Amino acid sequence: GLVRKPAAFISTISDERGSELMYSGVKISEVFDSQMGIGGVISLLWFKRRLPDVYTKFIEMAIMLCADHGPAVSGALNTIVTARAGKDLVSSLVSGLLTIGDRFGGALDGAARMFTSGLDRGLTARELVDEARRNGVLLPGIGHKIKSVSNPDYRVQVVKEYVLKNFKTHPTLDYALAVERVTTQKKDTLILNVDGCIAVCFVDLLRESSAFTREEADDYIKMGGLNAIFVLARSIGFIGHFLDQKRLRAPLYRHPADDFMLEMTEPPRIQVDGRR
Ligand code: ACO
Ligand code: LMR
């Protein structure tokens, strides 16, 4: 009989071989007929399931709110400088994306782990904050350069209000808000930031909805994919900044020399025998 050649790759999210393209087993015509939107497409391709509207709307909301935050943030600035150096769309986009990490936009995974770890170990908010300080680590998802208690981040308020109103239970968000009450006692800017808020709400989506088993939810938290929300969202803004610079015919950028403090000392002369 026929012997099937062993497959080099296994792939489980899309199939284009039949008459209709399928996302996780759902025909593309059904994707459109059901009006699942981009949140529904993300739930099929990222999580291989149809999430209820309340969650696909949450995903869409997070993407809309994180799409851009002005030209001054690390990633947008990189994209702008790269576009002005005459580079193409993909180069400018990735130069922006490469700034996303623990400090800028990429704190979701760390926040999800940190807050679930505190919650699961039964630590009070104060104990989690003290533990982080003892370990010399900053709490991912806490702190902002310009937003503060007195200058609140509208994005965080929108996400928070939506989840408090529409998710049946939200223990991780509640816990993160308790942590925020502790950190903002120290400094006004140590708020639950947009990364942190989306991350803990995502943990509540994964853990508290019946769409995932607890094991699946905790696997996603460990896997390190939650930053994808920010990466996808901010790509929209970075592309906007690329087009903006090209439209403006912005010339090559050179930073003003007087904005650098140049400090140089002559290096020690090292002799052949290694003596200085
Ligand atoms: N957890 C605990 N303490 C903190 C945190 C934190 N996350 N962030 C700052 N602090 C403390 C600092 O240790 C410092 O304390 P000290 O005065 O006793 O030394 C004080 O707050 C001020 O710190 P700065 O470094 O001046 O804060 P800055 O405003 O420059 O930093 C930043 C902002 C980078 C966002 C910082 O808070 C941070 O690294 N947070 C964690 C990472 C994170 O969530 N990033 C995502 C930001 S939102 C986004 O990018 C979309
Ligand atoms: C962002 O969304 O880019 C930020 O919250 C970071 C910032 O400093 O504005």
Side-chain angles (χ1 to χ4, degrees), residues 63-117:
I63 288 169
M64 287 163 75
L65 290 167
C66 291
D68 204 34
H69 208 232
V73 304
S74 306
L77 199 55
N78 255 23
T79 293
I80 289 172
V81 171
T82 310
R84 289 185 57 168
K87 301 285 301 225
D88 59 290
L89 169 74
V90 175
S91 307
S92 305
L93 172 62
V94 296
S95 91
L97 290 176
L98 288 172
T99 65
I100 297 177
D102 289 351
R103 291 183 180 169
F104 166 66
L108 284 92
D109 285 303
R113 290 195 203 105
M114 178 68 90
F115 290 108
T116 49
S117 147

Side-chain angles (χ1 to χ4, degrees), residues 7 17 26 42 69 75 81 86 99 112 117 135 140 150 164 177 179 185 216 231 259 268:
R17 293 167 303 174
V26 179
I42 289 173
H69 208 232
V81 171
T99 65
S117 147
N135 294 338
S150 50
L164 292 176
L177 292 173
V179 170
Q185 277 166 19
E216 285 171 335
V231 170
D259 205 20

